[in-house]
Amino acid sequence: MRQNGSMVRRRAQGGTLVLGGGFAGAYVARLLGERGCTIVSPQNSMLYTPLLPEAASGTLEPRHVVVPLRQMCPHAEVVIGRATTLDIDERAVSAETLAGPAEISYERLVVALGAVTRIFPVPGLVEHGRGFKDLADAIALRNHVLQRLDAAAAGGPASELGFVFVGAGYAGVEALAELHDLVQSALRYYPSLEHTPQRWVLVDAAPTILPDIPSRLGVYASRNLKERGIEIHVGETLASFDGEAAVLSGGARVPAQTLVWTTGVKASPLLGSFGLPLDDRGRVRVDGTLRVAGREDIWALGDCAAVPNTRTPGRTDPPTCQHALRQARCLARNLTGAPEPYGYRMLGQVATLGRFKGIADVLGVHLSGFPGWFVARSYHLYALPLLSRRLRVVTDWTTALFFPRDIAELSSLGHPEGFEE
Ligand SMILES: Cc1cc2nc3c(=O)[nH]c(=O)nc-3n(C[C@H](O)[C@H](O)[C@H](O)COP(=O)(O)OP(=O)(O)OC[C@H]3O[C@@H](n4cnc5c(N)ncnc54)[C@H](O)[C@@H]3O)c2cc1C
């Protein structure tokens, strides 16, 4: 490591620099094993996103849905910071790290910067809407929802118990189902709200919810949500939200202080300044071996890359963990041996819809209700890295079977009041 003024210059460990410690980047680093690498990541842990809705509902402890990078990738050097610029000719990345600006040179660069929430110019959305992309979003949403119950109990307006979710893909449907369960469970501690009406509304521009799963499971999910009193508005969009009410394109006005926006993602905007070839969706173009088109030394994968798949000719991979994981396996092999093309056929999909309710499509076998829920949980337990994390999750799940949901609201965490004069 060399110091130049205030800039720290260093070489990537083992010559490989991985940008992003999410699903794709963390798995590449883990699978490189003793060859080592340097990971640049703003967080010191990888988020296991499929369990995020359960962290929001309090079934799982927030710390248990993340996996510390230093434990997951014991041979990697972890630099906490954000990549800012890429100098392709000099083979160096600049980053803002906890120790100040740094320049890290590499022989092989792996770009795994993921995606950000895709938003549309809807009046009031940026000012008043909430995302559901990371742990901070999930816990902030949980605290906000519990605060709405306290505000309603204190005599607040009807909008306190109005909850609108826009985007009926996995993230939106699972988040809504889990938080709905949380509120129904919490209400036993709010006797004054027993007869106060609630409104839970799911909105999507597509003609059905969960359009990517087999229609039988989608129909089950839709029926289950409706039976719980959740209103589903498909074929509609959000027209505006002012923090007190959401107006839908069909004209409906829903009094609500909570609007969760989960309409999908777009590749990290930082890529636009990297000088790499991008597709029309802003994703890095890679060849079949995950190497960036026209570059010998740069590779990309995960949500930030347009990855061709030999098992789905003509289509690039969708932004999912299971694809990011398979791409990471292929890339780790390609970085250490003769590059081979990537191919993966999706084996199935799972989703939970609250306690004891779920859907699973495994090798064409469709399960719903309790069997779907059980298979979904079993799959996540199998897929979660590190035995210690799995045990923590099993302990949380087991405890949750015997007790009502935890309704502790912790919005003051991270904001200590400091000393009083
Ligand atoms: C709520 C939610 C639920 C989901 N549920 C499922 C599911 O059930 N099943 C499924 O298959 N998929 C699911 N997904 C999708 C899945 O999480 C993504 O496809 C997967 O995480 C992609 O991995 P990635 O590494 O490309 O991106 P990410 O996991 O998002 O990782 C990108 C990383 O890059 C880091 N980064 C960003 N900018 C910088 C920078 N400048 N410098 C350094 N690092 C940076 C980010 O902090 C992040 O850690 C879900 C996604 C969400 C949001």
Side-chain angles (χ1 to χ4, degrees), residues 19-25 40-43 49-50 52 81-83 112-115 132-133 171 174 270 301-304 319-322 324 380:
L19 301 185
F23 231 86
V40 177
S41 167
Q43 306 87 20
T49 49
L52 204 51
R82 279 185 178 275
L113 291 170
F132 196 76
K133 179 79 175 72
E174 288 188 290
L270 182 62
L301 77 167
D303 287 3
C304 75
T320 77
C321 300
Q322 46 175 319
H380 290 317

PDB file of all heavy atoms in Angstrom, residues 19-25 40-43 49-50 52 81-83 112-115 132-133 171 174 270 301-304 319-322 324 380, ligand 1:
ATOM      1  N   LEU A  19     -16.178  -5.330  -7.224  1.00  0.00           N
ATOM      2  CA  LEU A  19     -16.945  -4.134  -6.821  1.00  0.00           C
ATOM      3  C   LEU A  19     -18.355  -4.550  -6.447  1.00  0.00           C
ATOM      4  O   LEU A  19     -19.128  -5.004  -7.293  1.00  0.00           O
ATOM      5  CB  LEU A  19     -16.999  -3.127  -7.976  1.00  0.00           C
ATOM      6  CG  LEU A  19     -15.652  -2.629  -8.497  1.00  0.00           C
ATOM      7  CD1 LEU A  19     -15.865  -1.548  -9.559  1.00  0.00           C
ATOM      8  CD2 LEU A  19     -14.779  -2.108  -7.361  1.00  0.00           C
ATOM      9  N   GLY A  20     -18.702  -4.427  -5.167  1.00  0.00           N
ATOM     10  CA  GLY A  20     -20.035  -4.804  -4.688  1.00  0.00           C
ATOM     11  C   GLY A  20     -19.978  -6.082  -3.883  1.00  0.00           C
ATOM     12  O   GLY A  20     -19.450  -7.091  -4.355  1.00  0.00           O
ATOM     13  N   GLY A  21     -20.498  -6.016  -2.671  1.00  0.00           N
ATOM     14  CA  GLY A  21     -20.518  -7.212  -1.803  1.00  0.00           C
ATOM     15  C   GLY A  21     -21.934  -7.715  -1.612  1.00  0.00           C
ATOM     16  O   GLY A  21     -22.316  -8.150  -0.534  1.00  0.00           O
ATOM     17  N   GLY A  22     -22.742  -7.648  -2.695  1.00  0.00           N
ATOM     18  CA  GLY A  22     -24.093  -8.204  -2.641  1.00  0.00           C
ATOM     19  C   GLY A  22     -24.043  -9.672  -3.006  1.00  0.00           C
ATOM     20  O   GLY A  22     -23.001 -10.337  -2.883  1.00  0.00           O
ATOM     21  N   PHE A  23     -25.171 -10.174  -3.481  1.00  0.00           N
ATOM     22  CA  PHE A  23     -25.259 -11.604  -3.770  1.00  0.00           C
ATOM     23  C   PHE A  23     -24.165 -12.064  -4.737  1.00  0.00           C
ATOM     24  O   PHE A  23     -23.445 -13.024  -4.471  1.00  0.00           O
ATOM     25  CB  PHE A  23     -26.629 -11.886  -4.402  1.00  0.00           C
ATOM     26  CG  PHE A  23     -27.326 -12.991  -3.713  1.00  0.00           C
ATOM     27  CD1 PHE A  23     -28.098 -12.734  -2.597  1.00  0.00           C
ATOM     28  CD2 PHE A  23     -27.173 -14.293  -4.139  1.00  0.00           C
ATOM     29  CE1 PHE A  23     -28.715 -13.756  -1.925  1.00  0.00           C
ATOM     30  CE2 PHE A  23     -27.788 -15.323  -3.483  1.00  0.00           C
ATOM     31  CZ  PHE A  23     -28.569 -15.049  -2.368  1.00  0.00           C
ATOM     32  N   ALA A  24     -24.044 -11.346  -5.855  1.00  0.00           N
ATOM     33  CA  ALA A  24     -23.113 -11.774  -6.893  1.00  0.00           C
ATOM     34  C   ALA A  24     -21.660 -11.612  -6.441  1.00  0.00           C
ATOM     35  O   ALA A  24     -20.864 -12.554  -6.502  1.00  0.00           O
ATOM     36  CB  ALA A  24     -23.366 -10.978  -8.172  1.00  0.00           C
ATOM     37  N   GLY A  25     -21.315 -10.422  -5.958  1.00  0.00           N
ATOM     38  CA  GLY A  25     -19.932 -10.144  -5.583  1.00  0.00           C
ATOM     39  C   GLY A  25     -19.462 -11.013  -4.430  1.00  0.00           C
ATOM     40  O   GLY A  25     -18.350 -11.570  -4.451  1.00  0.00           O
ATOM     41  N   VAL A  40     -14.789  -4.277  -2.618  1.00  0.00           N
ATOM     42  CA  VAL A  40     -15.172  -2.927  -2.168  1.00  0.00           C
ATOM     43  C   VAL A  40     -16.681  -2.934  -1.977  1.00  0.00           C
ATOM     44  O   VAL A  40     -17.433  -3.246  -2.918  1.00  0.00           O
ATOM     45  CB  VAL A  40     -14.783  -1.848  -3.197  1.00  0.00           C
ATOM     46  CG1 VAL A  40     -15.251  -0.473  -2.727  1.00  0.00           C
ATOM     47  CG2 VAL A  40     -13.287  -1.852  -3.431  1.00  0.00           C
ATOM     48  N   SER A  41     -17.126  -2.633  -0.768  1.00  0.00           N
ATOM     49  CA  SER A  41     -18.556  -2.683  -0.470  1.00  0.00           C
ATOM     50  C   SER A  41     -18.900  -1.628   0.577  1.00  0.00           C
ATOM     51  O   SER A  41     -18.156  -1.463   1.546  1.00  0.00           O
ATOM     52  CB  SER A  41     -18.913  -4.073   0.065  1.00  0.00           C
ATOM     53  OG  SER A  41     -20.208  -4.062   0.627  1.00  0.00           O
ATOM     54  N   PRO A  42     -20.044  -0.948   0.410  1.00  0.00           N
ATOM     55  CA  PRO A  42     -20.427   0.046   1.428  1.00  0.00           C
ATOM     56  C   PRO A  42     -20.796  -0.599   2.758  1.00  0.00           C
ATOM     57  O   PRO A  42     -20.718   0.034   3.799  1.00  0.00           O
ATOM     58  CB  PRO A  42     -21.654   0.742   0.823  1.00  0.00           C
ATOM     59  CG  PRO A  42     -21.701   0.334  -0.601  1.00  0.00           C
ATOM     60  CD  PRO A  42     -20.966  -0.962  -0.727  1.00  0.00           C
ATOM     61  N   GLN A  43     -21.249  -1.868   2.733  1.00  0.00           N
ATOM     62  CA  GLN A  43     -21.628  -2.559   3.974  1.00  0.00           C
ATOM     63  C   GLN A  43     -20.650  -3.698   4.223  1.00  0.00           C
ATOM     64  O   GLN A  43     -20.072  -4.236   3.286  1.00  0.00           O
ATOM     65  CB  GLN A  43     -23.034  -3.162   3.877  1.00  0.00           C
ATOM     66  CG  GLN A  43     -24.145  -2.209   3.470  1.00  0.00           C
ATOM     67  CD  GLN A  43     -24.283  -2.101   1.966  1.00  0.00           C
ATOM     68  OE1 GLN A  43     -23.839  -2.951   1.219  1.00  0.00           O
ATOM     69  NE2 GLN A  43     -24.907  -1.012   1.521  1.00  0.00           N
ATOM     70  N   THR A  49     -31.643 -11.068   0.500  1.00  0.00           N
ATOM     71  CA  THR A  49     -32.883 -10.313   0.256  1.00  0.00           C
ATOM     72  C   THR A  49     -34.174 -11.122   0.389  1.00  0.00           C
ATOM     73  O   THR A  49     -35.189 -10.559   0.814  1.00  0.00           O
ATOM     74  CB  THR A  49     -32.862  -9.656  -1.145  1.00  0.00           C
ATOM     75  OG1 THR A  49     -32.476 -10.637  -2.092  1.00  0.00           O
ATOM     76  CG2 THR A  49     -31.933  -8.479  -1.181  1.00  0.00           C
ATOM     77  N   PRO A  50     -34.208 -12.416   0.028  1.00  0.00           N
ATOM     78  CA  PRO A  50     -35.494 -13.114   0.142  1.00  0.00           C
ATOM     79  C   PRO A  50     -36.065 -13.119   1.562  1.00  0.00           C
ATOM     80  O   PRO A  50     -37.264 -13.291   1.742  1.00  0.00           O
ATOM     81  CB  PRO A  50     -35.154 -14.549  -0.318  1.00  0.00           C
ATOM     82  CG  PRO A  50     -33.994 -14.382  -1.239  1.00  0.00           C
ATOM     83  CD  PRO A  50     -33.192 -13.254  -0.652  1.00  0.00           C
ATOM     84  N   LEU A  52     -35.876 -10.501   3.586  1.00  0.00           N
ATOM     85  CA  LEU A  52     -36.121  -9.121   4.005  1.00  0.00           C
ATOM     86  C   LEU A  52     -37.559  -8.902   4.514  1.00  0.00           C
ATOM     87  O   LEU A  52     -37.756  -8.249   5.549  1.00  0.00           O
ATOM     88  CB  LEU A  52     -35.820  -8.184   2.829  1.00  0.00           C
ATOM     89  CG  LEU A  52     -35.455  -6.746   3.116  1.00  0.00           C
ATOM     90  CD1 LEU A  52     -34.343  -6.636   4.138  1.00  0.00           C
ATOM     91  CD2 LEU A  52     -35.078  -6.033   1.830  1.00  0.00           C
ATOM     92  N   GLY A  81     -16.388   0.826   1.560  1.00  0.00           N
ATOM     93  CA  GLY A  81     -16.392   2.081   0.817  1.00  0.00           C
ATOM     94  C   GLY A  81     -17.209   1.955  -0.450  1.00  0.00           C
ATOM     95  O   GLY A  81     -17.858   0.922  -0.685  1.00  0.00           O
ATOM     96  N   ARG A  82     -17.180   2.990  -1.236  1.00  0.00           N
ATOM     97  CA  ARG A  82     -17.930   3.025  -2.493  1.00  0.00           C
ATOM     98  C   ARG A  82     -16.992   3.283  -3.652  1.00  0.00           C
ATOM     99  O   ARG A  82     -16.221   4.256  -3.604  1.00  0.00           O
ATOM    100  CB  ARG A  82     -18.952   4.162  -2.484  1.00  0.00           C
ATOM    101  CG  ARG A  82     -20.195   3.833  -1.755  1.00  0.00           C
ATOM    102  CD  ARG A  82     -21.245   4.920  -1.855  1.00  0.00           C
ATOM    103  NE  ARG A  82     -22.410   4.442  -1.142  1.00  0.00           N
ATOM    104  CZ  ARG A  82     -23.348   3.671  -1.669  1.00  0.00           C
ATOM    105  NH1 ARG A  82     -23.285   3.354  -2.944  1.00  0.00           N
ATOM    106  NH2 ARG A  82     -24.350   3.240  -0.958  1.00  0.00           N
ATOM    107  N   ALA A  83     -17.059   2.486  -4.681  1.00  0.00           N
ATOM    108  CA  ALA A  83     -16.302   2.760  -5.902  1.00  0.00           C
ATOM    109  C   ALA A  83     -16.874   4.029  -6.522  1.00  0.00           C
ATOM    110  O   ALA A  83     -18.093   4.242  -6.488  1.00  0.00           O
ATOM    111  CB  ALA A  83     -16.442   1.595  -6.863  1.00  0.00           C
ATOM    112  N   ALA A 112     -19.967  -5.981  -9.871  1.00  0.00           N
ATOM    113  CA  ALA A 112     -21.187  -6.593  -9.298  1.00  0.00           C
ATOM    114  C   ALA A 112     -21.894  -5.538  -8.466  1.00  0.00           C
ATOM    115  O   ALA A 112     -22.153  -5.734  -7.279  1.00  0.00           O
ATOM    116  CB  ALA A 112     -20.810  -7.813  -8.458  1.00  0.00           C
ATOM    117  N   LEU A 113     -22.215  -4.415  -9.102  1.00  0.00           N
ATOM    118  CA  LEU A 113     -22.744  -3.252  -8.374  1.00  0.00           C
ATOM    119  C   LEU A 113     -24.251  -3.292  -8.173  1.00  0.00           C
ATOM    120  O   LEU A 113     -24.828  -2.394  -7.553  1.00  0.00           O
ATOM    121  CB  LEU A 113     -22.357  -1.964  -9.111  1.00  0.00           C
ATOM    122  CG  LEU A 113     -20.857  -1.632  -9.066  1.00  0.00           C
ATOM    123  CD1 LEU A 113     -20.537  -0.478 -10.020  1.00  0.00           C
ATOM    124  CD2 LEU A 113     -20.425  -1.279  -7.651  1.00  0.00           C
ATOM    125  N   GLY A 114     -24.924  -4.333  -8.706  1.00  0.00           N
ATOM    126  CA  GLY A 114     -26.350  -4.492  -8.442  1.00  0.00           C
ATOM    127  C   GLY A 114     -27.203  -3.428  -9.104  1.00  0.00           C
ATOM    128  O   GLY A 114     -26.835  -2.854 -10.140  1.00  0.00           O
ATOM    129  N   ALA A 115     -28.343  -3.172  -8.485  1.00  0.00           N
ATOM    130  CA  ALA A 115     -29.336  -2.289  -9.095  1.00  0.00           C
ATOM    131  C   ALA A 115     -29.925  -1.372  -8.034  1.00  0.00           C
ATOM    132  O   ALA A 115     -29.714  -1.570  -6.841  1.00  0.00           O
ATOM    133  CB  ALA A 115     -30.438  -3.137  -9.733  1.00  0.00           C
ATOM    134  N   PHE A 132     -38.293  -0.549  -0.800  1.00  0.00           N
ATOM    135  CA  PHE A 132     -38.138  -1.796  -0.043  1.00  0.00           C
ATOM    136  C   PHE A 132     -37.013  -2.576  -0.714  1.00  0.00           C
ATOM    137  O   PHE A 132     -37.222  -3.607  -1.325  1.00  0.00           O
ATOM    138  CB  PHE A 132     -39.449  -2.598  -0.053  1.00  0.00           C
ATOM    139  CG  PHE A 132     -39.480  -3.670   0.981  1.00  0.00           C
ATOM    140  CD1 PHE A 132     -39.684  -3.359   2.320  1.00  0.00           C
ATOM    141  CD2 PHE A 132     -39.296  -5.007   0.639  1.00  0.00           C
ATOM    142  CE1 PHE A 132     -39.706  -4.348   3.296  1.00  0.00           C
ATOM    143  CE2 PHE A 132     -39.313  -6.000   1.603  1.00  0.00           C
ATOM    144  CZ  PHE A 132     -39.517  -5.672   2.930  1.00  0.00           C
ATOM    145  N   LYS A 133     -35.803  -2.036  -0.610  1.00  0.00           N
ATOM    146  CA  LYS A 133     -34.685  -2.606  -1.366  1.00  0.00           C
ATOM    147  C   LYS A 133     -33.615  -3.167  -0.443  1.00  0.00           C
ATOM    148  O   LYS A 133     -32.917  -4.105  -0.806  1.00  0.00           O
ATOM    149  CB  LYS A 133     -34.093  -1.497  -2.269  1.00  0.00           C
ATOM    150  CG  LYS A 133     -32.906  -1.884  -3.118  1.00  0.00           C
ATOM    151  CD  LYS A 133     -33.325  -2.647  -4.349  1.00  0.00           C
ATOM    152  CE  LYS A 133     -32.159  -2.935  -5.293  1.00  0.00           C
ATOM    153  NZ  LYS A 133     -31.221  -3.935  -4.810  1.00  0.00           N
ATOM    154  N   ALA A 171     -41.174  -8.931  -4.314  1.00  0.00           N
ATOM    155  CA  ALA A 171     -40.836  -8.064  -3.185  1.00  0.00           C
ATOM    156  C   ALA A 171     -42.088  -7.384  -2.636  1.00  0.00           C
ATOM    157  O   ALA A 171     -42.325  -7.375  -1.418  1.00  0.00           O
ATOM    158  CB  ALA A 171     -39.792  -7.033  -3.612  1.00  0.00           C
ATOM    159  N   GLU A 174     -44.697 -10.079  -1.077  1.00  0.00           N
ATOM    160  CA  GLU A 174     -44.217 -10.663   0.189  1.00  0.00           C
ATOM    161  C   GLU A 174     -44.176  -9.608   1.301  1.00  0.00           C
ATOM    162  O   GLU A 174     -44.544  -9.884   2.440  1.00  0.00           O
ATOM    163  CB  GLU A 174     -42.843 -11.289  -0.003  1.00  0.00           C
ATOM    164  CG  GLU A 174     -42.884 -12.571  -0.807  1.00  0.00           C
ATOM    165  CD  GLU A 174     -41.536 -13.274  -0.827  1.00  0.00           C
ATOM    166  OE1 GLU A 174     -40.604 -12.754  -1.464  1.00  0.00           O
ATOM    167  OE2 GLU A 174     -41.423 -14.325  -0.195  1.00  0.00           O
ATOM    168  N   LEU A 270     -24.162   4.257 -11.553  1.00  0.00           N
ATOM    169  CA  LEU A 270     -22.720   4.533 -11.600  1.00  0.00           C
ATOM    170  C   LEU A 270     -22.091   3.969 -12.879  1.00  0.00           C
ATOM    171  O   LEU A 270     -21.112   4.509 -13.404  1.00  0.00           O
ATOM    172  CB  LEU A 270     -22.055   3.906 -10.361  1.00  0.00           C
ATOM    173  CG  LEU A 270     -20.562   4.123 -10.188  1.00  0.00           C
ATOM    174  CD1 LEU A 270     -20.242   5.605 -10.039  1.00  0.00           C
ATOM    175  CD2 LEU A 270     -20.051   3.346  -8.976  1.00  0.00           C
ATOM    176  N   LEU A 301     -21.552  -9.279 -13.592  1.00  0.00           N
ATOM    177  CA  LEU A 301     -22.614 -10.257 -13.329  1.00  0.00           C
ATOM    178  C   LEU A 301     -23.656  -9.674 -12.392  1.00  0.00           C
ATOM    179  O   LEU A 301     -23.500  -8.576 -11.874  1.00  0.00           O
ATOM    180  CB  LEU A 301     -22.027 -11.548 -12.742  1.00  0.00           C
ATOM    181  CG  LEU A 301     -21.616 -11.550 -11.262  1.00  0.00           C
ATOM    182  CD1 LEU A 301     -21.359 -12.985 -10.809  1.00  0.00           C
ATOM    183  CD2 LEU A 301     -20.414 -10.693 -10.996  1.00  0.00           C
ATOM    184  N   GLY A 302     -24.713 -10.437 -12.166  1.00  0.00           N
ATOM    185  CA  GLY A 302     -25.774 -10.010 -11.252  1.00  0.00           C
ATOM    186  C   GLY A 302     -26.712  -9.002 -11.904  1.00  0.00           C
ATOM    187  O   GLY A 302     -26.796  -8.899 -13.133  1.00  0.00           O
ATOM    188  N   ASP A 303     -27.399  -8.236 -11.046  1.00  0.00           N
ATOM    189  CA  ASP A 303     -28.433  -7.318 -11.539  1.00  0.00           C
ATOM    190  C   ASP A 303     -27.877  -6.215 -12.426  1.00  0.00           C
ATOM    191  O   ASP A 303     -28.637  -5.561 -13.144  1.00  0.00           O
ATOM    192  CB  ASP A 303     -29.144  -6.643 -10.351  1.00  0.00           C
ATOM    193  CG  ASP A 303     -30.072  -7.597  -9.611  1.00  0.00           C
ATOM    194  OD1 ASP A 303     -30.118  -8.785  -9.973  1.00  0.00           O
ATOM    195  OD2 ASP A 303     -30.751  -7.141  -8.668  1.00  0.00           O
ATOM    196  N   CYS A 304     -26.556  -5.968 -12.369  1.00  0.00           N
ATOM    197  CA  CYS A 304     -26.009  -4.849 -13.153  1.00  0.00           C
ATOM    198  C   CYS A 304     -25.546  -5.291 -14.540  1.00  0.00           C
ATOM    199  O   CYS A 304     -25.038  -4.487 -15.297  1.00  0.00           O
ATOM    200  CB  CYS A 304     -24.855  -4.176 -12.395  1.00  0.00           C
ATOM    201  SG  CYS A 304     -23.321  -5.110 -12.392  1.00  0.00           S
ATOM    202  N   PRO A 319     -33.303 -10.395 -12.942  1.00  0.00           N
ATOM    203  CA  PRO A 319     -32.552  -9.995 -11.742  1.00  0.00           C
ATOM    204  C   PRO A 319     -32.998 -10.785 -10.506  1.00  0.00           C
ATOM    205  O   PRO A 319     -33.861 -10.336  -9.750  1.00  0.00           O
ATOM    206  CB  PRO A 319     -32.881  -8.503 -11.600  1.00  0.00           C
ATOM    207  CG  PRO A 319     -34.230  -8.352 -12.228  1.00  0.00           C
ATOM    208  CD  PRO A 319     -34.337  -9.399 -13.295  1.00  0.00           C
ATOM    209  N   THR A 320     -32.441 -11.961 -10.309  1.00  0.00           N
ATOM    210  CA  THR A 320     -32.798 -12.756  -9.122  1.00  0.00           C
ATOM    211  C   THR A 320     -31.535 -13.290  -8.453  1.00  0.00           C
ATOM    212  O   THR A 320     -30.483 -13.417  -9.087  1.00  0.00           O
ATOM    213  CB  THR A 320     -33.698 -13.969  -9.459  1.00  0.00           C
ATOM    214  OG1 THR A 320     -32.882 -14.995 -10.034  1.00  0.00           O
ATOM    215  CG2 THR A 320     -34.831 -13.619 -10.404  1.00  0.00           C
ATOM    216  N   CYS A 321     -31.697 -13.647  -7.168  1.00  0.00           N
ATOM    217  CA  CYS A 321     -30.575 -14.212  -6.417  1.00  0.00           C
ATOM    218  C   CYS A 321     -30.121 -15.514  -7.041  1.00  0.00           C
ATOM    219  O   CYS A 321     -28.932 -15.797  -7.114  1.00  0.00           O
ATOM    220  CB  CYS A 321     -30.991 -14.581  -5.001  1.00  0.00           C
ATOM    221  SG  CYS A 321     -31.583 -13.253  -4.031  1.00  0.00           S
ATOM    222  N   GLN A 322     -31.095 -16.333  -7.430  1.00  0.00           N
ATOM    223  CA  GLN A 322     -30.670 -17.651  -7.911  1.00  0.00           C
ATOM    224  C   GLN A 322     -29.852 -17.540  -9.187  1.00  0.00           C
ATOM    225  O   GLN A 322     -28.910 -18.307  -9.392  1.00  0.00           O
ATOM    226  CB  GLN A 322     -31.831 -18.627  -8.047  1.00  0.00           C
ATOM    227  CG  GLN A 322     -33.073 -18.138  -8.708  1.00  0.00           C
ATOM    228  CD  GLN A 322     -34.077 -19.296  -8.862  1.00  0.00           C
ATOM    229  OE1 GLN A 322     -33.703 -20.396  -9.200  1.00  0.00           O
ATOM    230  NE2 GLN A 322     -35.347 -19.026  -8.618  1.00  0.00           N
ATOM    231  N   ALA A 324     -27.992 -14.799  -9.908  1.00  0.00           N
ATOM    232  CA  ALA A 324     -26.719 -14.180  -9.491  1.00  0.00           C
ATOM    233  C   ALA A 324     -25.787 -15.253  -8.909  1.00  0.00           C
ATOM    234  O   ALA A 324     -24.578 -15.256  -9.182  1.00  0.00           O
ATOM    235  CB  ALA A 324     -26.985 -13.085  -8.468  1.00  0.00           C
ATOM    236  N   HIS A 380     -34.941 -21.486   1.622  1.00  0.00           N
ATOM    237  CA  HIS A 380     -34.113 -20.357   2.084  1.00  0.00           C
ATOM    238  C   HIS A 380     -33.089 -20.821   3.118  1.00  0.00           C
ATOM    239  O   HIS A 380     -31.951 -20.340   3.136  1.00  0.00           O
ATOM    240  CB  HIS A 380     -34.990 -19.243   2.657  1.00  0.00           C
ATOM    241  CG  HIS A 380     -35.788 -18.553   1.598  1.00  0.00           C
ATOM    242  ND1 HIS A 380     -35.260 -18.203   0.384  1.00  0.00           N
ATOM    243  CD2 HIS A 380     -37.081 -18.158   1.563  1.00  0.00           C
ATOM    244  CE1 HIS A 380     -36.178 -17.621  -0.357  1.00  0.00           C
ATOM    245  NE2 HIS A 380     -37.291 -17.588   0.331  1.00  0.00           N
TER     246      HIS A 380
HETATM  247  C1  LIG B   1     -36.897  -7.025  -1.296  1.00  0.00           C
HETATM  248  C2  LIG B   1     -36.259  -7.953  -2.290  1.00  0.00           C
HETATM  249  C3  LIG B   1     -36.615  -9.296  -2.283  1.00  0.00           C
HETATM  250  C4  LIG B   1     -36.025 -10.162  -3.194  1.00  0.00           C
HETATM  251  N1  LIG B   1     -36.406 -11.481  -3.147  1.00  0.00           N
HETATM  252  C5  LIG B   1     -35.834 -12.339  -4.002  1.00  0.00           C
HETATM  253  C6  LIG B   1     -36.183 -13.721  -3.936  1.00  0.00           C
HETATM  254  O1  LIG B   1     -36.999 -14.136  -3.114  1.00  0.00           O
HETATM  255  N2  LIG B   1     -35.574 -14.568  -4.812  1.00  0.00           N
HETATM  256  C7  LIG B   1     -34.655 -14.135  -5.723  1.00  0.00           C
HETATM  257  O2  LIG B   1     -34.125 -14.955  -6.479  1.00  0.00           O
HETATM  258  N3  LIG B   1     -34.319 -12.834  -5.821  1.00  0.00           N
HETATM  259  C8  LIG B   1     -34.878 -11.925  -4.971  1.00  0.00           C
HETATM  260  N4  LIG B   1     -34.536 -10.603  -5.055  1.00  0.00           N
HETATM  261  C9  LIG B   1     -33.583 -10.150  -6.092  1.00  0.00           C
HETATM  262  C10 LIG B   1     -32.146 -10.330  -5.607  1.00  0.00           C
HETATM  263  O3  LIG B   1     -31.965  -9.734  -4.348  1.00  0.00           O
HETATM  264  C11 LIG B   1     -31.153  -9.722  -6.574  1.00  0.00           C
HETATM  265  O4  LIG B   1     -31.369 -10.243  -7.854  1.00  0.00           O
HETATM  266  C12 LIG B   1     -29.713 -10.030  -6.142  1.00  0.00           C
HETATM  267  O5  LIG B   1     -29.456  -9.458  -4.886  1.00  0.00           O
HETATM  268  C13 LIG B   1     -28.716  -9.515  -7.182  1.00  0.00           C
HETATM  269  O6  LIG B   1     -27.416  -9.596  -6.684  1.00  0.00           O
HETATM  270  P1  LIG B   1     -26.355  -8.450  -7.049  1.00  0.00           P
HETATM  271  O7  LIG B   1     -25.111  -8.812  -6.341  1.00  0.00           O
HETATM  272  O8  LIG B   1     -26.321  -8.238  -8.499  1.00  0.00           O
HETATM  273  O9  LIG B   1     -26.976  -7.129  -6.439  1.00  0.00           O
HETATM  274  P2  LIG B   1     -27.077  -6.758  -4.901  1.00  0.00           P
HETATM  275  O10 LIG B   1     -27.328  -7.959  -4.090  1.00  0.00           O
HETATM  276  O11 LIG B   1     -28.046  -5.625  -4.836  1.00  0.00           O
HETATM  277  O12 LIG B   1     -25.619  -6.242  -4.550  1.00  0.00           O
HETATM  278  C14 LIG B   1     -25.036  -5.086  -5.096  1.00  0.00           C
HETATM  279  C15 LIG B   1     -24.061  -4.563  -4.094  1.00  0.00           C
HETATM  280  O13 LIG B   1     -23.321  -3.509  -4.660  1.00  0.00           O
HETATM  281  C16 LIG B   1     -23.126  -2.549  -3.668  1.00  0.00           C
HETATM  282  N5  LIG B   1     -22.799  -1.266  -4.270  1.00  0.00           N
HETATM  283  C17 LIG B   1     -23.613  -0.368  -4.836  1.00  0.00           C
HETATM  284  N6  LIG B   1     -22.928   0.702  -5.252  1.00  0.00           N
HETATM  285  C18 LIG B   1     -21.630   0.474  -4.924  1.00  0.00           C
HETATM  286  C19 LIG B   1     -20.430   1.207  -5.110  1.00  0.00           C
HETATM  287  N7  LIG B   1     -20.420   2.417  -5.695  1.00  0.00           N
HETATM  288  N8  LIG B   1     -19.267   0.663  -4.683  1.00  0.00           N
HETATM  289  C20 LIG B   1     -19.256  -0.548  -4.091  1.00  0.00           C
HETATM  290  N9  LIG B   1     -20.372  -1.286  -3.893  1.00  0.00           N
HETATM  291  C21 LIG B   1     -21.541  -0.776  -4.314  1.00  0.00           C
HETATM  292  C22 LIG B   1     -24.438  -2.520  -2.923  1.00  0.00           C
HETATM  293  O14 LIG B   1     -24.289  -1.931  -1.638  1.00  0.00           O
HETATM  294  C23 LIG B   1     -24.736  -4.001  -2.851  1.00  0.00           C
HETATM  295  O15 LIG B   1     -24.202  -4.593  -1.697  1.00  0.00           O
HETATM  296  C24 LIG B   1     -35.101  -9.700  -4.147  1.00  0.00           C
HETATM  297  C25 LIG B   1     -34.735  -8.344  -4.159  1.00  0.00           C
HETATM  298  C26 LIG B   1     -35.312  -7.481  -3.231  1.00  0.00           C
HETATM  299  C27 LIG B   1     -34.909  -6.028  -3.248  1.00  0.00           C
END
